[in-house]
Amino acid sequence: MGEEQKKQLEQQLWNIANALRGKMDADEFRDYILGFIFYKYLSEKMEHYADEILAEDGMTYLELSSSPDRQEYLEAIQEESIEKLGYFLEPEELFSQVAKRSAGSTDNFILDDLTQILRNIERTTMGHESEDDFVYLFEDLDLTSSKLGKTEAQKNTLISKVLSHLDAINFELQNHDRDVLGDAYEYLIGQFAAGAGKKAGEFYTPQQVSKILAKIVTTGKTKLKSVYDPTCGSGSLLLRVTKEVEEVSSFYGQELNRTTYNLARMNMIMHDVHYRKFDIKQEDTLEHPQHMELRFEAIIANPPFSAKWSANPLFMSDDRFSQYGKLAPSSKADFAFVQHMIHHLDENGTMAIVLPHGVLFRGAAEGHIRKYLIEDKNYLDAVIGLPANIFYGTSIPTCILVFKKCREESDNILFIDASAHFEKAKNQNYMRVEDIEKIVMTFRDRIAEEKYSRLVTLDEIKENDYNLNIPRYVDTFEEEEPVDLDTVSSELKALEVDMRATDEMIAKFCGELAIATPF
């Protein structure tokens, strides 16, 4: 998305947010806005595709309304559209036409039409391959909610304003490098952190962290057979991987939160990922995994930090956990996510996961699992310390753990301490382009740099009882320059002489003016 378009998007989002503010919580109006952005995307995609089909007949999709052969054309276009796009919209159902009707007069009531249109989008997919990817996509856009207004007229006026603001934005939908939903999501979370805050931050990974993870798991590759995120949130991590390789054949993800699961599916479609190429499921990843038999070439995740899970003893017979002899504690599921991801990692694959620093040194079951992964399996490839306060809703320092089943350099583990490499922003810290590039280059070339990175032998890690706390291995301590007491003494004596001279000058000046001196 161009910088100018991004600023325009942010201004219009601010206008919409001001219209909705006070009527509902920040995370609720965020969902309305993103839902309507998606509807606009589907409409423009539909219109563009239909115009291509109709080009040889010298007409556009919007001109079909006045054509005597309208129905015949629509049936043919619907069949091709559902096969190609996965859904269908009639010309009168397009976002631009609904926005035009709502802007024409305050008496134009669009809520019923809009509700029916959103249902129709889902209905056109029924019985087709795309049904699972579109069903209930718009369930969070409750146009009957009293939060939109007390009366139907108030609701209608408010939604008309929202559509009008969005209609004014050029989303550059033909530009596949843009990330409209991601930009909108991040802007809304950033602006309304007090209201959305932690709740929103759980489901969105800041773009600078996404970039690091994506570059790590694609190192040395131009194509990927598959990429998987077991806690995919709004899908930003999965999509970020596409920017680092020429092609990703298949996307897989799982998300517990229903609203965010819908956002992930929207995000896939908005990024022109064909409905046959992605498989996003809604369920609890640890308790009810949906892709158990599959293995993936790249796995990335930013799971909820230290989340609770059942740690049911029955999981000791689960293939994901059984070989370790221990389960992650019920109060902290961090290592359960690691174990789950390693189960799904292909032999030639790479996985990168963001976790709180506690996973590096906590003992008991977590210490046992950590030791098994290093001593028995030798899967841990790198430990990367990130700056504090770079995630929405939490200021805790985090790290990235990188795992490979077939490691090129199996006698050491790379430690990187990037905790001091960032720029302070208003509400949180931000990693600059050069900070990201330094991490990625250090990882890819396995560079050892004083006070930043070090290749640590497995023997040294064993000596430290498999404690991975980064300061044990990367010394960032800056020694203060030694103080020369003789020099300081000389400077103080010189200062005293200067002060005496100054006092004498003031006393002389006061004497000339017949003023009593203060000393």
Side-chain angles (χ1 to χ4, degrees):
M1 194 173 197
E3 204 55 43
E4 193 58 41
Q5 284 77 12
K6 190 174 179 182
K7 285 180 182 174
Q8 185 189 15
L9 169 66
E10 290 177 355
Q11 182 57 53
Q12 295 292 32
L13 290 174
W14 181 256
N15 294 339
I16 296 167
N18 277 334
L20 293 173
R21 199 198 295 267
K23 295 179 171 61
M24 60 188 74
D25 292 336
D27 55 304
E28 290 177 306
F29 70 66
R30 182 196 72 225
D31 297 335
Y32 275 93
I33 294 171
L34 296 176
F36 282 126
I37 288 175
F38 182 59
Y39 167 43
K40 178 178 167 76
Y41 171 82
L42 293 182
S43 296
E44 295 190 14
K45 185 91 172 171
M46 177 71 234
E47 183 177 1
H48 180 75
Y49 182 65
D51 282 348
E52 285 183 343
I53 294 174
L54 294 167
E56 60 185 56
D57 292 334
M59 69 172 77
T60 66
Y61 197 43
L62 292 178
E63 290 169 351
L64 269 189
S65 301
S66 57
S67 170
D69 302 319
R70 178 182 188 278
Q71 198 54 40
E72 186 180 336
Y73 274 115
L74 284 182
E75 287 174 6
I77 291 170
Q78 178 170 355
E79 186 177 338
E80 289 191 46
S81 173
I82 289 174
E83 172 64 23
K84 174 72 175 175
L85 306 180
Y87 66 96
F88 175 71
L89 279 162
E90 294 192 8
E92 299 77 17
E93 295 177 325
L94 298 175
F95 182 98
S96 60
Q97 301 308 295
V98 176
K100 192 180 294 183
R101 291 200 295 276
S102 70
S105 166
T106 53
D107 297 329
N108 286 341
F109 195 75
I110 60 162
L111 288 188
D112 290 342
D113 281 355
L114 199 49
T115 301
Q116 192 57 47
I117 290 168
L118 299 180
R119 284 180 186 155
N120 284 347
I121 293 173
E122 294 179 13
R123 183 184 54 76
T124 61
T125 70
M126 290 181 179
H128 299 280
E129 277 187 77
S130 58
E131 181 177 355
D132 286 347
D133 298 314
F134 281 84
V135 67
Y136 302 132
L137 259 183
F138 293 101
E139 64 183 347
D140 293 303
L141 262 70
D142 181 6
L143 301 180
T144 65
S145 172
S146 60
K147 292 178 180 179
L148 296 172
K150 291 181 180 178
T151 66
E152 295 304 296
Q154 288 174 337
K155 295 173 190 174
N156 191 71
T157 300
L158 183 60
I159 293 301
S160 296
K161 279 184 186 175
V162 172
L163 297 186
S164 175
H165 284 305
L166 287 178
D167 196 41
I169 305 173
N170 175 12
F171 284 150
E172 294 186 280
L173 296 183
Q174 301 310 312
N175 175 7
H176 295 157
D177 290 332
R178 82 280 174 272
D179 184 6
V180 176
L181 207 62
D183 285 337
Y185 201 103
E186 186 155 326
Y187 174 75
L188 290 168
I189 294 170
Q191 289 298 315
F192 310 111
K198 187 173 181 180
K199 187 173 181 183
E202 286 180 5
F203 312 120
Y204 192 82
T205 305
Q207 290 183 10
Q208 68 259 29
V209 179
S210 296
K211 190 181 292 187
I212 295 169
L213 294 170
K215 286 181 179 293
I216 284 173
V217 299
T218 56
T219 295
K221 298 185 178 182
T222 56
K223 294 182 180 180
L224 286 176
K225 295 195 298 290
S226 57
V227 59
Y228 170 60
D229 184 345
T231 56
C232 68
S234 56
S236 66
L237 267 177
L238 286 170
L239 289 163
R240 179 67 227 187
V241 172
T242 63
K243 297 180 185 294
E244 305 302 331
V245 289
E246 295 170 8
E247 181 186 347
V248 178
S249 299
S250 303
F251 300 81
Y252 296 85
Q254 191 165 334
E255 172 55 39
L256 177 60
N257 181 279
R258 182 78 190 179
T259 297
T260 322
Y261 157 70
N262 288 336
L263 286 176
R265 292 188 294 162
M266 290 180 189
N267 219 351
M268 288 287 145
I269 295 164
M270 282 188 70
H271 281 79
D272 214 32
V273 178
H274 196 276
Y275 62 87
R276 292 194 186 99
K277 290 182 68 174
F278 71 88
D279 180 13
I280 311 287
K281 301 292 189 188
Q282 194 248 324
E283 252 301 355
D284 186 310
T285 298
L286 297 179
E287 308 290 342
H288 304 288
Q290 298 294 299
H291 304 97
M292 273 298 280
E293 304 309 314
L294 299 178
R295 301 295 178 270
F296 308 106
E297 191 173 357
I299 303 180
I300 45 176
N302 172 27
F305 300 151
S306 301
K308 292 179 171 57
W309 75 303
S310 71
N312 190 319
L314 292 174
F315 279 128
M316 287 307 299
S317 60
D318 187 307
D319 287 345
R320 296 172 295 167
F321 311 111
S322 57
Q323 60 186 301
Y324 296 84
K326 296 267 188 179
L327 294 175
S330 60
S331 60
K332 294 178 177 66
D334 302 313
F335 267 109
F337 283 112
V338 171
Q339 292 167 307
H340 171 89
M341 291 166 68
I342 283 173
H343 169 79
H344 284 289
L345 186 63
D346 213 341
E347 291 300 318
N348 70 332
T350 303
M351 72 173 248
I353 179 172
V354 182
L355 293 167
H357 269 228
V359 302
L360 301 177
F361 52 79
R362 288 193 298 248
E366 291 180 291
H368 175 88
I369 295 168
R370 195 167 56 241
K371 178 181 177 182
Y372 181 82
L373 286 169
I374 299 169
E375 185 178 59
D376 291 71
K377 289 298 186 182
N378 196 10
Y379 286 165
L380 182 61
D381 195 57
V383 178
I384 304 169
L386 300 177
N389 198 30
I390 58 172
F391 284 86
Y392 297 107
T394 180
S395 60
I396 65 170
T398 54
C399 63
I400 296 172
L401 299 187
V402 183
F403 293 90
K404 296 179 181 179
K405 288 187 174 176
C406 295
R407 300 209 299 131
E408 295 87 351
E409 295 194 34
S410 57
D411 60 341
N412 61 59
I413 295 172
L414 174 65
F415 281 75
I416 300 174
D417 187 348
S419 60
H421 296 255
F422 64 90
E423 191 171 287
K424 283 184 179 292
K426 184 179 178 182
N427 295 319
Q428 62 189 109
N429 296 328
Y430 182 82
M431 297 181 76
R432 300 156 296 192
V433 171
E434 58 266 34
D435 301 327
I436 294 167
E437 288 176 351
K438 186 175 177 67
I439 290 173
V440 174
M441 183 179 69
T442 303
F443 169 78
R444 288 181 171 172
D445 297 337
R446 296 186 82 77
I447 298 168
E449 180 182 320
E450 189 177 356
K451 300 189 185 304
Y452 184 76
S453 60
R454 186 169 162 239
L455 293 166
V456 182
T457 65
L458 298 182
D459 287 338
E460 185 177 345
I461 289 170
K462 183 178 181 179
E463 287 170 11
N464 280 292
D465 201 22
Y466 300 95
N467 183 320
L468 302 176
N469 204 13
I470 298 170
R472 283 178 178 251
Y473 306 103
V474 182
D475 181 10
T476 59
F477 179 72
E478 295 283 352
E479 283 190 16
E480 293 184 9
E481 288 186 19
V483 177
D484 187 333
L485 293 178
D486 291 336
T487 303
V488 172
S489 178
S490 299
E491 288 173 350
L492 287 172
K493 286 176 182 176
L495 188 60
E496 193 174 339
V497 170
D498 289 345
M499 286 174 64
R500 267 201 299 270
T502 303
D503 288 348
E504 288 171 3
M505 187 183 298
I506 292 172
K508 183 180 178 184
F509 178 74
C510 290
E512 290 172 356
L513 296 175
I515 301 172
T517 57
F519 355 93

